[in-house]
Amino acid sequence: MARRALGRATLAVAQAVEAALTPQDTALLVACSGGADSLALAAGVAHVAPRSGRAYAAVVVDHGLQDGSAEVARRAARTLEGLGLDATVVAVVVAAAGGGPEAAARDARYTALRAVAEDRGATLLLGHTRDDQAESVLLGLARGSGARSLSGMAVRAEGLLRPLLGVSRATTRACCAELGLEPWDDPHNADPAYARVRVRARVLPVLEAELGPGVPEALARTADLLRADADLLDALAAEARERVEEDGALDCTGLAALPAALRTRVLLAWLRDLGAHDLIARHVAAVEALVLDWHGQGPVDLPGVRVGRTDGVLRGPT
């Protein structure tokens, strides 16, 4: 298909894909659920990759959490093959986890996707859009999780590539319409039991109605601005942690001397390495009190781990 034959939305998607790639991305693997965003991404890759001599394929994960999920996965694979992508369906088992079913499904999905990408030596592409970015920023704001959470998702991070973070969900749907693709709408994406769904269906529309159009774009722009700051602070915190940590324990005197922005990051990274999960600001504050407001109090229980102070250092489980 000649580039001039592409519709406006499909061209926008293809241009976003092309702009995100580097010469090191010699093989591309699209993670596809069958939804509009990932189908549009697959179509963009199918247009861009052959023109640059890149290998390209797709993988569909079947979580097995809904009746008929296997057929949904097979249908997505057939659609992808119609676009010219070799498609592999991978079934995963979603184990119960402390973070809840949504987190467990995400962990299982990413583990499977990374395994396929590593086996093929391919860059793994995900279909997150600007709307997903805006939702992530609002959720981070509601949790009070700080600059890292508000910085949202990066286009390229941790071996993942998200070319469509500057593209709206409306554009991906329009792309599918232009190409005659019928995306699958995951029922979970309409279930108000999930906070992200409530943000999408209720919160963002109210914000746009009251503040005017362009809220998702502004939130995504905020994420971009904060990400550079968060990256710098995280790097400085990693250096600081090396200075205050010995044998897995943190020296409280050294921690207390750190600026608050670095101290909380050191604590958060340390707690996560110990196995803590679903941490929010009050969890970190409780541990920080062992450093700054020490009066002999007992250990702090967090999701997944207990930490305490002995002999002037913070220790995890022994």
Side-chain angles (χ1 to χ4, degrees), residues 74-93:
R74 286 193 293 268
R75 186 163 63 246
R78 290 194 295 269
T79 301
L80 290 163
E81 289 165 355
L83 289 169
L85 291 88
D86 175 52
T88 301
V89 175
V90 178
V92 299
V93 176

Side-chain angles (χ1 to χ4, degrees), residues 69-152:
S69 65
E71 176 54 30
V72 169
R74 286 193 293 268
R75 186 163 63 246
R78 290 194 295 269
T79 301
L80 290 163
E81 289 165 355
L83 289 169
L85 291 88
D86 175 52
T88 301
V89 175
V90 178
V92 299
V93 176
V94 179
E102 189 175 15
R106 181 177 61 248
D107 290 345
R109 177 170 67 254
Y110 276 60
T111 297
L113 291 172
R114 288 180 186 279
V116 176
E118 183 177 353
D119 182 62
R120 299 189 180 196
T123 301
L124 181 60
L125 282 71
L126 305 180
H128 295 115
T129 66
R130 185 173 62 204
D131 298 81
D132 294 308
Q133 185 77 296
E135 293 158 13
S136 294
V137 173
L138 279 179
L139 288 168
L141 183 63
R143 288 192 297 265
S145 303
R148 173 53 65 191
S149 184
L150 294 179
S151 66

Side-chain angles (χ1 to χ4, degrees), residues 1-16 40 43-44 47 167 170-180:
M1 183 188 302
R3 177 178 289 266
R4 63 179 177 273
L6 296 180
R8 179 180 299 179
T10 307
L11 179 59
V13 169
Q15 288 174 334
H47 178 75
V167 176
T171 298
T172 63
R173 286 200 167 274
C175 170
C176 289
E178 288 174 355
L179 297 174

